[in-house]
Amino acid sequence: MALSATNGTGRYRGRFAPSPSGPLHNGSLLAAMASYLDARAHHGEWLLRIEDIDTPRVMPGADRYIMQQLRALGMHWDGTPVWQSERLALYQQAFDALAANGRVYGCACTRQELPPEGAYPGTCRHGLPPGKRTRAWRFRVEPGTERYTDRWHGPQEQDVLAETGDFIIKRADGLWAYQLVVVVDDGDQGITHIVRGADLLESTARQRVLARALGLRYPEAMHVPLLCDETGRKLSKQNHAAAMDLHDPVLTLNKAWQALGFEALSVPDCAAFWDTAVERWDGRWGQTPDGV
Ligand code: GLU
């Protein structure tokens, strides 16, 4: 049976989950826009979650700046935003629950000791090699193929154990790993639909198996295209993509809109942009495979 997302209210709940490692750029706007439009077209809620779990990458003040950027583009979130850094107890609870079910083990491997690519070979799966100590903690993946349908990319399948192997949920630097916190947060917040960039398509199978192990329903997912620079590289903060230009917000919105495959809208302001864009989005993506 396919997992079908629900938050008990039967209502669509989406989210935008930026990492505050810098201001939003034209690439991150695509994910923000698509998740906003999908939520509004479904008369749902759109939550804002600041993913500041990876503290070394956090740029002080970027969270507030991102909120200003969203407001300047006429994008309004529902409820109060959450910060992952304030939710550490939840992640610990999830970790403890997995550990109690024998789904977690300590791993002593350093990056240098692992193959440069491919799945984790399972070196510490049956216990630490003599004289070694735990550095990171891994989730024990069960054999099997994960199958699901991405709303943009269609049917997907991945053998997580073969392709990724047991993956890290608590890092050697003591921080919770993205894969764990995103699953816990989406579950805890009752998210029914994930809309985000295609770079995370490949993480979805891992997140689904983790969600199942935690007894959480995994949301419907849609992975929208990434914006690339002239050299074909994904626009990202690590690649020093420029912050969005907010002098002409409608122009900035139209660029992201066109990158999502639509024709530019000739509208006077942001409010009119969103009204029209929501209708067009609904016409194209209004029907989800399983509904909510
Ligand atoms: N925080 C992630 C990012 O900024 C997004 C995570 C997600 O949407 O699942 O790339």
Side-chain angles (χ1 to χ4, degrees), residues 15-21 28 31 49-51 57 84 178 182 186 194-197 199-200 207 218 223 234 237:
R15 50 45 162 206
F16 177 50
S19 306
S21 50
S28 27
R49 183 168 76 224
I50 304 294
E51 300 213 322
R57 289 184 51 222
Q84 287 183 326
Y178 159 70
V182 74
D186 285 337
I194 292 174
V195 178
R196 60 185 175 194
D199 50 336
L200 294 168
Q207 294 175 12
Y218 194 76
H223 289 83
K234 176 202 161 192
K237 292 164 201 159

Side-chain angles (χ1 to χ4, degrees), residues 236-248:
S236 72
K237 292 164 201 159
Q238 284 98 313
N239 293 342
H240 311 293
M244 290 183 298
D245 181 358
L246 295 174
H247 291 106
D248 187 346

Side-chain angles (χ1 to χ4, degrees), residues 33 37 253-263 265 277 280:
M33 174 177 281
L37 289 172
L253 289 172
N254 257 322
K255 278 192 196 153
W257 177 241
Q258 286 174 290
L260 288 170
F262 293 87
E263 277 183 29
L265 302 176
R280 304 261 164 102

